[in-house]
Amino acid sequence: MQAQSSTSQVTPPASNTPLIVLRRRQVEERTGLSRSTLYHYIKLGNFPKPMALGPRVVGWLESDVNSWINERVRVSCGGRSGGRHT
């Protein structure tokens, strides 16, 4: 049996954090991105690649999606920490 190659390298969350896998629609809801924009960002390397869950099923680690969102907040705030615009 041949090992299936991973579609991405995922960042493991802290050891005490449960692994939660998000499906595409959940990722779209959390990020506000459309499916086409999501896959465009993946192609450009601007969004984490999904991992294969089955032959036609992919998912993203919640921690990877949250890290992407947090980075977008950091960038939009001009590098300030804190997260919210004031």
Side-chain angles (χ1 to χ4, degrees):
M1 178 181 239
Q2 188 177 23
Q4 184 176 1
S5 65
S6 173
T7 58
S8 69
Q9 298 213 356
V10 294
T11 305
S15 61
N16 61 347
T17 305
L19 291 175
I20 298 172
V21 177
L22 302 175
R23 298 292 305 279
R24 183 183 47 81
R25 286 188 183 175
Q26 292 172 300
V27 173
E28 289 173 15
E29 289 172 5
R30 290 201 182 190
T31 62
L33 300 175
S34 68
R35 178 175 54 196
S36 60
T37 300
L38 182 67
Y39 283 105
H40 180 69
Y41 282 5
I42 291 168
K43 182 178 179 180
L44 295 174
N46 295 334
F47 194 82
K49 291 182 180 179
M51 61 181 167
L53 301 176
R56 294 175 43 98
V57 181
V58 297
W60 287 259
L61 285 179
E62 180 182 47
S63 59
D64 288 346
V65 174
N66 287 343
S67 293
W68 182 86
I69 292 170
N70 289 334
E71 178 63 14
R72 298 304 307 151
V73 170
R74 188 188 68 74
V75 168
S76 71
C77 292
R80 295 188 315 256
S81 60
R84 288 203 175 257
H85 294 281
T86 54

Coordinates of all heavy atoms in Angstrom, one line a residue:
M1 N 0.8 -1.2 0.0 CA 0.0 0.0 0.0 C 0.9 1.2 0.0 O 1.8 1.3 0.8 CB -0.9 0.0 1.2 CG -1.8 1.2 1.3 SD -2.8 1.1 2.8 CE -4.4 1.1 2.1
Q2 N 0.6 2.2 -0.9 CA 1.4 3.4 -1.0 C 0.8 4.5 0.0 O -0.3 4.7 0.1 CB 1.3 3.9 -2.4 CG 2.3 5.0 -2.7 CD 2.2 5.4 -4.2 OE1 1.2 5.1 -4.9 NE2 3.3 6.0 -4.7
A3 N 1.7 5.2 0.6 CA 1.3 6.2 1.6 C 0.8 7.4 0.7 O 1.4 7.8 -0.3 CB 2.5 6.6 2.4
Q4 N -0.2 8.0 1.2 CA -0.8 9.2 0.5 C 0.0 10.4 1.0 O 0.2 10.6 2.2 CB -2.3 9.3 0.9 CG -2.9 10.5 0.1 CD -4.4 10.5 0.5 OE1 -4.9 9.7 1.2 NE2 -5.1 11.4 -0.2
S5 N 0.4 11.2 0.1 CA 1.1 12.4 0.5 C 0.2 13.5 1.0 O -1.0 13.6 0.6 CB 1.9 13.0 -0.7 OG 1.0 13.4 -1.7
S6 N 0.7 14.2 1.9 CA -0.1 15.3 2.6 C -0.2 16.5 1.6 O 0.7 16.8 0.9 CB 0.6 15.7 3.9 OG -0.1 16.8 4.4
T7 N -1.4 17.1 1.6 CA -1.6 18.3 0.8 C -0.9 19.5 1.4 O -0.9 20.6 0.7 CB -3.0 18.6 0.5 OG1 -3.7 18.8 1.7 CG2 -3.7 17.4 -0.3
S8 N -0.5 19.5 2.6 CA 0.1 20.7 3.3 C 0.8 20.3 4.5 O 0.8 19.1 5.0 CB -1.0 21.6 3.7 OG -1.8 21.1 4.7
Q9 N 1.6 21.2 5.0 CA 2.2 21.0 6.3 C 1.4 21.8 7.3 O 1.2 23.0 7.1 CB 3.6 21.6 6.2 CG 4.5 20.8 5.2 CD 5.9 20.7 5.7 OE1 6.3 21.3 6.7 NE2 6.7 20.0 4.9
V10 N 1.0 21.2 8.3 CA 0.1 21.8 9.3 C 1.0 22.1 10.5 O 1.9 21.4 10.8 CB -1.1 21.0 9.7 CG1 -2.0 20.9 8.5 CG2 -0.7 19.6 10.2
T11 N 0.6 23.1 11.2 CA 1.3 23.5 12.5 C 0.5 22.9 13.6 O -0.7 23.2 13.8 CB 1.3 25.0 12.6 OG1 1.9 25.6 11.5 CG2 2.0 25.4 13.9
P12 N 1.1 22.0 14.4 CA 0.4 21.4 15.5 C 0.2 22.4 16.6 O 1.1 23.2 16.9 CB 1.3 20.3 16.0 CG 2.7 20.5 15.4 CD 2.5 21.4 14.2
P13 N -1.0 22.4 17.1 CA -1.3 23.4 18.2 C -0.6 22.9 19.5 O 0.0 21.8 19.5 CB -2.8 23.3 18.3 CG -3.2 22.0 17.8 CD -2.2 21.6 16.8
A14 N -0.7 23.7 20.5 CA -0.1 23.4 21.8 C -0.7 22.0 22.3 O -1.8 21.7 21.9 CB -0.5 24.5 22.8
S15 N 0.1 21.3 23.0 CA -0.2 19.9 23.4 C -1.5 19.8 24.2 O -2.2 18.8 24.1 CB 0.9 19.3 24.1 OG 1.2 20.0 25.3
N16 N -1.9 20.9 24.9 CA -3.1 20.8 25.7 C -4.3 21.3 24.9 O -5.4 21.3 25.5 CB -2.9 21.6 27.0 CG -2.6 23.0 26.7 OD1 -2.3 23.4 25.6 ND2 -2.7 23.9 27.8
T17 N -4.2 21.7 23.7 CA -5.3 22.2 22.9 C -5.8 21.0 22.1 O -5.1 20.3 21.4 CB -4.8 23.3 21.9 OG1 -4.1 24.3 22.6 CG2 -5.9 23.8 21.1
P18 N -7.2 20.8 22.1 CA -7.8 19.7 21.3 C -7.7 20.1 19.8 O -7.7 21.2 19.4 CB -9.2 19.7 21.8 CG -9.5 21.1 22.3 CD -8.2 21.6 22.9
L19 N -7.4 19.0 19.0 CA -7.4 19.2 17.6 C -8.8 19.3 17.0 O -9.6 18.3 17.2 CB -6.7 18.1 16.9 CG -5.2 18.0 17.1 CD1 -4.6 16.8 16.5 CD2 -4.5 19.2 16.6
I20 N -9.2 20.4 16.4 CA -10.5 20.6 15.8 C -10.3 20.8 14.3 O -9.5 21.7 13.9 CB -11.2 21.7 16.5 CG1 -11.5 21.4 18.0 CG2 -12.6 22.0 15.8 CD1 -12.0 22.6 18.8
V21 N -11.0 20.0 13.5 CA -10.9 20.1 12.1 C -12.1 20.9 11.6 O -13.3 20.5 11.9 CB -10.8 18.8 11.4 CG1 -10.8 18.9 9.9 CG2 -9.5 18.0 11.9
L22 N -11.9 21.9 10.8 CA -13.0 22.7 10.2 C -13.2 22.3 8.8 O -12.2 22.1 8.0 CB -12.7 24.2 10.3 CG -12.4 24.8 11.6 CD1 -12.0 26.2 11.5 CD2 -13.7 24.6 12.5
R23 N -14.4 22.1 8.3 CA -14.7 21.9 6.9 C -14.8 23.2 6.2 O -14.8 24.3 6.8 CB -16.1 21.1 6.8 CG -16.0 19.8 7.5 CD -15.1 18.8 6.8 NE -15.5 18.6 5.4 CZ -16.5 17.8 5.0 NH1 -17.2 17.1 5.8 NH2 -16.8 17.8 3.7
R24 N -14.8 23.1 4.9 CA -14.7 24.3 4.0 C -15.8 25.4 4.4 O -15.5 26.6 4.5 CB -14.8 24.0 2.6 CG -14.7 25.2 1.7 CD -14.9 24.9 0.2 NE -16.0 24.1 -0.1 CZ -17.3 24.5 -0.2 NH1 -17.5 25.8 0.0 NH2 -18.3 23.7 -0.5
R25 N -17.0 25.0 4.6 CA -18.1 26.0 4.9 C -17.8 26.6 6.2 O -18.1 27.8 6.3 CB -19.5 25.3 4.8 CG -19.9 25.0 3.4 CD -21.3 24.5 3.4 NE -21.7 24.2 2.0 CZ -22.8 23.7 1.6 NH1 -23.7 23.4 2.5 NH2 -23.0 23.4 0.4
Q26 N -17.3 25.9 7.2 CA -17.0 26.5 8.4 C -15.9 27.5 8.3 O -15.9 28.6 8.9 CB -16.6 25.4 9.4 CG -17.7 24.5 9.9 CD -17.2 23.3 10.7 OE1 -16.3 22.6 10.2 NE2 -17.7 23.3 11.9
V27 N -14.9 27.2 7.5 CA -13.8 28.1 7.2 C -14.3 29.4 6.5 O -13.9 30.5 6.9 CB -12.7 27.4 6.4 CG1 -11.6 28.4 5.9 CG2 -12.0 26.3 7.2
E28 N -15.2 29.2 5.5 CA -15.8 30.3 4.8 C -16.5 31.2 5.8 O -16.4 32.5 5.8 CB -16.8 29.9 3.8 CG -16.1 29.2 2.6 CD -17.0 28.6 1.6 OE1 -18.3 28.9 1.7 OE2 -16.6 27.8 0.8
E29 N -17.3 30.6 6.7 CA -18.1 31.4 7.7 C -17.1 32.2 8.7 O -17.4 33.3 9.0 CB -19.0 30.5 8.5 CG -20.1 29.9 7.8 CD -20.9 28.9 8.5 OE1 -20.6 28.6 9.7 OE2 -21.9 28.3 7.9
R30 N -16.1 31.5 9.1 CA -15.2 32.2 10.1 C -14.3 33.3 9.4 O -14.0 34.2 10.1 CB -14.2 31.1 10.7 CG -14.9 30.2 11.6 CD -14.0 29.6 12.5 NE -14.7 28.6 13.4 CZ -14.2 28.0 14.4 NH1 -13.0 28.3 14.8 NH2 -14.9 27.2 15.1
T31 N -14.0 33.1 8.2 CA -13.1 34.1 7.5 C -13.9 35.1 6.8 O -13.3 36.2 6.5 CB -12.1 33.4 6.6 OG1 -12.9 32.8 5.6 CG2 -11.2 32.4 7.3
G32 N -15.1 34.8 6.4 CA -15.8 35.7 5.5 C -15.4 35.6 4.1 O -15.9 36.4 3.2
L33 N -14.6 34.7 3.7 CA -14.1 34.5 2.3 C -15.0 33.6 1.6 O -15.6 32.6 2.1 CB -12.7 33.9 2.3 CG -11.6 34.7 3.0 CD1 -10.3 33.8 3.0 CD2 -11.4 36.0 2.4
S34 N -15.2 33.8 0.3 CA -16.0 32.9 -0.6 C -15.1 31.7 -0.9 O -13.8 31.8 -0.7 CB -16.4 33.6 -1.9 OG -15.2 33.9 -2.7
R35 N -15.7 30.7 -1.4 CA -14.9 29.5 -1.8 C -13.8 29.8 -2.8 O -12.7 29.4 -2.7 CB -15.8 28.4 -2.3 CG -15.1 27.2 -2.8 CD -16.0 26.1 -3.2 NE -16.9 26.5 -4.2 CZ -18.0 25.9 -4.6 NH1 -18.4 24.8 -4.0 NH2 -18.8 26.4 -5.5
S36 N -14.2 30.6 -3.8 CA -13.2 30.9 -4.9 C -12.0 31.8 -4.3 O -10.9 31.5 -4.7 CB -13.8 31.6 -6.1 OG -14.4 32.8 -5.6
T37 N -12.3 32.7 -3.4 CA -11.3 33.5 -2.8 C -10.4 32.7 -1.9 O -9.2 32.8 -1.9 CB -11.9 34.7 -2.1 OG1 -12.6 35.5 -3.0 CG2 -10.8 35.5 -1.4
L38 N -11.0 31.8 -1.2 CA -10.3 30.9 -0.3 C -9.3 30.1 -1.1 O -8.1 30.1 -0.7 CB -11.3 30.0 0.4 CG -10.7 29.0 1.4 CD1 -10.2 29.7 2.6 CD2 -11.8 28.0 1.8
Y39 N -9.7 29.4 -2.2 CA -8.8 28.6 -2.9 C -7.7 29.5 -3.7 O -6.6 29.1 -3.9 CB -9.5 27.7 -3.9 CG -10.0 26.5 -3.1 CD1 -11.4 26.4 -2.7 CD2 -9.2 25.5 -2.6 CE1 -11.8 25.3 -2.0 CE2 -9.6 24.4 -1.9 CZ -11.0 24.3 -1.6 OH -11.4 23.3 -0.8
H40 N -8.1 30.7 -4.1 CA -7.2 31.6 -4.7 C -6.1 32.0 -3.7 O -4.9 32.0 -4.1 CB -7.9 32.9 -5.2 CG -7.0 33.9 -5.9 ND1 -6.4 33.7 -7.1 CD2 -6.6 35.1 -5.5 CE1 -5.7 34.7 -7.4 NE2 -5.8 35.6 -6.4
Y41 N -6.4 32.3 -2.5 CA -5.4 32.6 -1.5 C -4.5 31.4 -1.2 O -3.3 31.6 -1.0 CB -6.1 33.0 -0.2 CG -6.6 34.5 -0.1 CD1 -6.6 35.3 -1.3 CD2 -7.2 35.0 1.0 CE1 -7.1 36.6 -1.2 CE2 -7.6 36.3 1.1 CZ -7.6 37.1 -0.1 OH -8.1 38.4 0.0
I42 N -5.1 30.2 -1.2 CA -4.3 29.0 -1.0 C -3.3 28.9 -2.2 O -2.1 28.6 -1.9 CB -5.2 27.7 -0.9 CG1 -6.0 27.8 0.4 CG2 -4.4 26.5 -1.0 CD1 -7.1 26.7 0.4
K43 N -3.7 29.1 -3.4 CA -2.9 29.0 -4.6 C -1.7 30.0 -4.5 O -0.6 29.7 -4.8 CB -3.7 29.2 -5.8 CG -2.9 29.1 -7.1 CD -3.8 29.3 -8.3 CE -3.0 29.2 -9.6 NZ -3.8 29.4 -10.8
L44 N -2.0 31.2 -3.9 CA -1.0 32.2 -3.8 C -0.1 32.0 -2.6 O 0.9 32.7 -2.4 CB -1.6 33.6 -3.7 CG -2.4 34.1 -4.9 CD1 -3.1 35.4 -4.5 CD2 -1.5 34.3 -6.1
G45 N -0.5 31.1 -1.7 CA 0.3 30.8 -0.5 C -0.1 31.7 0.6 O 0.7 31.9 1.6
N46 N -1.2 32.4 0.5 CA -1.7 33.4 1.5 C -2.7 32.8 2.5 O -3.2 33.5 3.3 CB -2.3 34.6 0.8 CG -1.3 35.4 0.0 OD1 -0.1 35.3 0.3 ND2 -1.8 36.0 -1.0
F47 N -2.9 31.5 2.4 CA -3.9 30.9 3.3 C -3.4 29.4 3.5 O -2.9 28.8 2.6 CB -5.3 30.9 2.8 CG -6.4 30.5 3.8 CD1 -6.8 31.5 4.7 CD2 -6.9 29.3 3.9 CE1 -7.8 31.2 5.7 CE2 -7.8 28.9 4.9 CZ -8.3 29.9 5.7
P48 N -3.6 28.9 4.7 CA -3.1 27.5 4.9 C -3.8 26.5 4.0 O -5.0 26.6 3.7 CB -3.5 27.2 6.4 CG -3.9 28.5 7.0 CD -4.2 29.4 5.9
K49 N -3.0 25.5 3.5 CA -3.5 24.5 2.6 C -4.4 23.5 3.5 O -4.0 23.3 4.7 CB -2.4 23.7 1.9 CG -1.7 24.5 0.9 CD -0.6 23.7 0.2 CE 0.1 24.6 -0.8 NZ 1.1 23.8 -1.5
P50 N -5.4 23.0 2.9 CA -6.2 22.0 3.7 C -5.5 20.6 3.7 O -4.6 20.4 3.0 CB -7.5 21.9 2.8 CG -7.0 22.2 1.4 CD -5.9 23.2 1.6
M51 N -5.9 19.8 4.7 CA -5.4 18.5 4.7 C -6.5 17.5 4.2 O -7.7 17.8 4.4 CB -5.0 18.1 6.2 CG -6.1 18.2 7.2 SD -5.4 17.8 8.8 CE -6.8 18.3 9.8
A52 N -6.1 16.4 3.6 CA -7.0 15.4 3.1 C -7.6 14.7 4.3 O -6.9 14.2 5.1 CB -6.3 14.5 2.1
L53 N -8.9 14.6 4.3 CA -9.6 13.8 5.3 C -10.2 12.5 4.7 O -10.5 11.6 5.4 CB -10.8 14.6 5.9 CG -10.4 15.9 6.6 CD1 -11.6 16.6 7.1 CD2 -9.4 15.6 7.7
G54 N -10.2 12.5 3.4 CA -10.7 11.3 2.6 C -10.5 11.6 1.1 O -9.9 12.6 0.8
P55 N -11.0 10.7 0.3 CA -10.7 10.9 -1.2 C -11.3 12.2 -1.7 O -10.6 12.8 -2.6 CB -11.5 9.7 -1.8 CG -11.7 8.8 -0.7 CD -11.7 9.5 0.5
R56 N -12.4 12.7 -1.2 CA -13.0 14.0 -1.7 C -13.3 14.9 -0.6 O -14.2 15.8 -0.8 CB -14.2 13.7 -2.6 CG -13.9 12.9 -3.9 CD -15.1 12.5 -4.6 NE -16.1 13.5 -4.7 CZ -16.3 14.3 -5.8 NH1 -15.5 14.2 -6.8 NH2 -17.3 15.2 -5.8
V57 N -12.6 14.8 0.5 CA -13.0 15.6 1.7 C -11.7 16.2 2.2 O -10.7 15.6 2.4 CB -13.6 14.7 2.8 CG1 -14.0 15.6 4.0 CG2 -14.8 14.0 2.2
V58 N -11.7 17.5 2.5 CA -10.6 18.2 3.1 C -11.1 19.0 4.3 O -12.3 19.3 4.5 CB -9.9 19.2 2.1 CG1 -9.3 18.5 0.9 CG2 -10.9 20.3 1.6
G59 N -10.1 19.4 5.1 CA -10.4 20.2 6.3 C -9.2 20.9 6.7 O -8.1 20.7 6.2
W60 N -9.4 21.9 7.6 CA -8.3 22.8 8.1 C -8.3 22.6 9.6 O -9.4 22.6 10.2 CB -8.6 24.2 7.7 CG -8.4 24.6 6.3 CD1 -7.3 25.2 5.8 CD2 -9.3 24.4 5.2 NE1 -7.4 25.4 4.4 CE2 -8.7 24.9 4.0 CE3 -10.5 23.8 5.1 CZ2 -9.3 24.9 2.8 CZ3 -11.2 23.8 3.9 CH2 -10.5 24.3 2.7
L61 N -7.1 22.6 10.2 CA -7.0 22.7 11.6 C -7.5 24.1 12.1 O -7.2 25.1 11.5 CB -5.6 22.5 12.1 CG -5.1 21.1 12.1 CD1 -3.6 21.1 12.6 CD2 -5.9 20.2 12.9
E62 N -8.4 24.1 13.1 CA -8.9 25.3 13.6 C -7.8 26.3 14.0 O -7.9 27.5 13.8 CB -9.8 25.0 14.8 CG -10.5 26.3 15.4 CD -11.3 25.9 16.6 OE1 -10.9 25.2 17.5 OE2 -12.4 26.5 16.7
S63 N -6.7 25.7 14.6 CA -5.6 26.5 15.0 C -4.9 27.2 13.9 O -4.5 28.4 14.0 CB -4.6 25.7 15.8 OG -4.1 24.6 15.0
D64 N -4.8 26.6 12.7 CA -4.3 27.2 11.5 C -5.1 28.4 11.0 O -4.7 29.5 10.7 CB -4.1 26.2 10.4 CG -2.9 25.3 10.6 OD1 -2.1 25.5 11.6 OD2 -2.8 24.2 9.9
V65 N -6.5 28.2 11.0 CA -7.4 29.2 10.6 C -7.4 30.4 11.5 O -7.3 31.5 11.1 CB -8.8 28.6 10.4 CG1 -9.8 29.7 10.1 CG2 -8.8 27.6 9.3
N66 N -7.4 30.1 12.8 CA -7.3 31.1 13.9 C -6.0 31.9 13.7 O -6.0 33.2 13.9 CB -7.5 30.5 15.3 CG -8.9 30.1 15.5 OD1 -9.8 30.5 14.9 ND2 -9.0 29.3 16.6
S67 N -4.9 31.3 13.5 CA -3.6 32.0 13.3 C -3.7 32.9 12.1 O -3.2 34.0 12.2 CB -2.5 31.0 13.1 OG -2.3 30.2 14.3
W68 N -4.3 32.4 11.0 CA -4.4 33.3 9.8 C -5.3 34.5 10.1 O -4.9 35.6 9.8 CB -5.0 32.5 8.7 CG -5.1 33.3 7.4 CD1 -4.2 33.4 6.5 CD2 -6.3 34.0 7.0 NE1 -4.6 34.3 5.5 CE2 -5.9 34.6 5.7 CE3 -7.5 34.3 7.5 CZ2 -6.8 35.5 5.0 CZ3 -8.4 35.1 6.8 CH2 -8.0 35.7 5.6
I69 N -6.4 34.3 10.8 CA -7.3 35.4 11.2 C -6.5 36.4 12.1 O -6.6 37.6 11.9 CB -8.6 34.9 11.9 CG1 -9.4 34.1 10.9 CG2 -9.3 36.1 12.5 CD1 -10.6 33.4 11.5
N70 N -5.8 35.9 13.1 CA -5.1 36.7 14.0 C -4.0 37.6 13.3 O -3.8 38.7 13.6 CB -4.4 35.9 15.1 CG -5.5 35.4 16.1 OD1 -6.5 36.0 16.3 ND2 -5.2 34.3 16.8
E71 N -3.4 36.9 12.3 CA -2.4 37.6 11.5 C -3.0 38.8 10.7 O -2.5 39.8 10.6 CB -1.6 36.7 10.6 CG -0.6 37.3 9.7 CD 0.6 38.0 10.5 OE1 0.7 37.8 11.7 OE2 1.3 38.8 9.8
R72 N -4.2 38.5 10.1 CA -4.9 39.5 9.3 C -5.2 40.7 10.2 O -5.1 41.8 9.8 CB -6.1 38.9 8.7 CG -5.9 37.8 7.7 CD -5.0 38.2 6.6 NE -5.4 39.4 5.9 CZ -4.5 40.2 5.3 NH1 -3.3 40.0 5.3 NH2 -5.0 41.3 4.7
V73 N -5.7 40.4 11.5 CA -6.0 41.5 12.4 C -4.8 42.3 12.7 O -4.8 43.5 12.7 CB -6.7 40.9 13.7 CG1 -6.8 42.0 14.8 CG2 -8.0 40.3 13.4
R74 N -3.6 41.6 13.0 CA -2.4 42.2 13.3 C -2.0 43.2 12.2 O -1.6 44.3 12.4 CB -1.3 41.2 13.6 CG 0.0 41.8 14.2 CD 1.1 40.8 14.2 NE 1.6 40.4 12.9 CZ 2.3 41.2 12.1 NH1 2.7 42.4 12.4 NH2 2.7 40.7 10.9
V75 N -2.0 42.7 11.0 CA -1.6 43.5 9.8 C -2.5 44.7 9.6 O -2.1 45.8 9.4 CB -1.6 42.6 8.5 CG1 -1.5 43.4 7.3 CG2 -0.5 41.6 8.6
S76 N -3.8 44.4 9.8 CA -4.8 45.5 9.5 C -4.7 46.6 10.6 O -5.1 47.8 10.4 CB -6.2 45.0 9.5 OG -6.7 44.6 10.7
C77 N -4.1 46.2 11.8 CA -4.0 47.2 12.9 C -2.6 47.9 12.8 O -2.2 48.5 13.8 CB -4.1 46.5 14.2 SG -5.8 46.0 14.5
G78 N -1.9 47.6 11.7 CA -0.5 48.2 11.6 C 0.5 47.7 12.5 O 1.4 48.4 12.9
G79 N 0.3 46.4 12.9 CA 1.3 45.8 13.8 C 1.1 45.9 15.2 O 1.8 45.4 16.1
R80 N 0.0 46.7 15.6 CA -0.3 46.8 17.0 C -0.9 45.5 17.5 O -1.6 44.8 16.8 CB -1.4 47.9 17.2 CG -1.0 49.2 16.8 CD -2.0 50.2 17.3 NE -3.4 49.8 16.9 CZ -4.1 50.3 15.9 NH1 -3.6 51.2 15.1 NH2 -5.3 49.9 15.7
S81 N -0.6 45.1 18.7 CA -1.2 44.0 19.3 C -2.5 44.4 20.0 O -2.7 45.6 20.2 CB -0.3 43.3 20.3 OG 0.0 44.2 21.4
G82 N -3.4 43.5 20.3 CA -4.6 43.9 21.0 C -5.8 43.5 20.2 O -6.8 43.1 20.7
G83 N -5.7 43.5 18.8 CA -6.8 42.9 18.0 C -7.9 43.8 17.6 O -8.4 43.6 16.5
R84 N -8.4 44.7 18.4 CA -9.5 45.5 18.0 C -9.1 46.9 17.6 O -8.3 47.5 18.2 CB -10.6 45.6 19.1 CG -11.3 44.3 19.3 CD -12.6 44.6 20.0 NE -13.3 43.3 20.1 CZ -14.3 43.0 19.3 NH1 -14.7 43.8 18.4 NH2 -15.0 41.9 19.5
H85 N -9.8 47.4 16.6 CA -9.6 48.8 16.2 C -10.3 49.7 17.2 O -11.4 49.4 17.7 CB -10.2 49.1 14.8 CG -9.6 48.4 13.7 ND1 -8.4 48.9 13.2 CD2 -9.9 47.3 13.1 CE1 -8.1 48.0 12.2 NE2 -9.0 47.1 12.1
T86 N -9.7 50.8 17.6 CA -10.3 51.8 18.5 C -10.5 53.1 17.9 O -9.9 53.5 16.9 CB -9.4 51.9 19.8 OG1 -8.1 52.3 19.5 CG2 -9.5 50.6 20.6

